[in-house]
Amino acid sequence: MLIPKTMRKYCPHCGTYTEHSVSLYKAIPKRRALAKGQRRAERRRKGHGNKGRYSKKPITQIKTHAKVTKTGVLTLKCRQCGKSRHLSFGKRMNKLEMKRE
Ligand SMILES: [Zn+2]
């Protein structure tokens, strides 16, 4: 699906319909490599044998392939007040691209 670069949407801060610049939202992965719990888990996973609860894989690493497609999320930024918000579709799609002009 092709997304236009600008959209005319309602801005809750301005209270009216204004021009918004559109970009694709991309989640930033959480990295806590030096957190205490993370260091402890790494230390206890070393060596041989069963490590009890440290033998388990974190939920974020367990991959499930129930769904192939993703729902896209857009970031809308108001051109008048500069506030931004997210807009998600209710539909799944294979590809989400910005329209080239
Ligand atoms: Zn606004």
Side-chain angles (χ1 to χ4, degrees):
M1 188 181 175
L2 288 171
I3 310 285
K5 281 183 178 173
T6 56
M7 278 183 188
R8 201 166 162 78
K9 287 274 180 185
Y10 179 77
C11 176
H13 302 282
C14 300
T16 49
Y17 282 78
T18 54
E19 199 83 0
H20 283 72
S21 60
V22 186
S23 58
L24 295 176
Y25 170 75
K26 204 177 179 187
I28 304 158
K30 284 178 183 172
R31 293 188 68 198
R32 299 201 65 200
L34 289 171
K36 176 124 191 188
Q38 194 65 41
R39 283 180 282 157
R40 184 190 297 134
E42 270 174 30
R43 193 168 60 244
R44 292 194 184 170
R45 274 199 193 100
K46 281 180 182 172
H48 300 282
N50 188 15
K51 305 292 185 307
R53 67 166 169 158
Y54 293 102
S55 288
K56 280 183 184 173
K57 265 190 180 178
I59 297 165
T60 49
Q61 280 182 21
I62 300 166
K63 283 178 183 171
T64 52
H65 295 282
K67 289 184 177 69
V68 179
T69 54
K70 283 183 176 180
T71 52
V73 179
L74 300 178
T75 307
L76 298 176
K77 194 175 183 187
C78 178
R79 286 203 169 160
Q80 281 191 19
C81 64
K83 300 245 183 189
S84 59
R85 63 200 172 89
H86 295 310
L87 176 80
S88 72
F89 295 101
K91 250 187 169 183
R92 299 191 158 263
M93 55 200 84
N94 280 321
K95 216 173 188 181
L96 197 61
E97 274 180 18
M98 298 299 295
K99 202 182 262 181
R100 286 185 203 133
E101 284 157 41

